[in-house]
Amino acid sequence: MWFAAMTPRPRREWFPRFIEQLLTGNEETRQLLAEDPFPDEPPTHIRVRRYRYEYTTVDERRETGEWWRREFVNDYYGPVSLNSLHRSRLF
């Protein structure tokens, strides 16, 4: 999903539809993810957060074991529920 976050806000129709499918528990959509974050039941709400990632320095990697350092940028989408998605399409 890294490519979706290259724009300030979701502008393509596929992204809200993707979120909707996750909220309904659509099996085919969940299979698109490397790891299913909702294995037992669909979530009631989804929020997508955007972070800026940078490689750690050699010293930081040695000290912490971390490859990445991340900084919160903004809430990219949501939080939304299935009901709020459907209501937003009415107007």
Side-chain angles (χ1 to χ4, degrees):
M1 295 307 194
W2 60 268
F3 56 89
M6 289 182 172
T7 59
R9 285 184 271 168
R11 293 197 174 119
R12 303 210 189 302
E13 281 297 316
W14 70 267
F15 195 77
R17 181 79 171 135
F18 174 72
I19 298 297
E20 179 181 34
Q21 294 304 304
L22 289 176
L23 288 165
T24 61
N26 180 276
E27 182 69 28
E28 291 82 13
T29 303
R30 290 178 24 230
Q31 289 176 359
L32 295 172
L33 305 173
E35 187 176 315
D36 185 356
F38 318 111
D40 299 323
E41 60 186 63
T44 58
H45 292 78
I46 290 181
R47 172 181 64 194
V48 179
R49 301 192 114 183
R50 183 166 38 175
Y51 290 86
R52 179 173 294 113
Y53 283 82
E54 295 179 354
Y55 284 112
T56 55
T57 65
V58 173
D59 290 338
E60 288 171 322
R61 169 81 172 119
R62 193 177 300 122
E63 184 178 314
T64 66
E66 300 292 329
W67 286 98
W68 303 100
R69 176 177 49 245
R70 74 179 190 170
E71 173 187 349
F72 176 72
V73 175
N74 61 7
D75 283 336
Y76 181 70
Y77 194 83
V80 294
S81 67
L82 198 53
N83 286 336
S84 67
L85 276 176
H86 290 166
R87 277 195 309 268
S88 70
R89 290 190 182 145
L90 295 176
F91 301 103

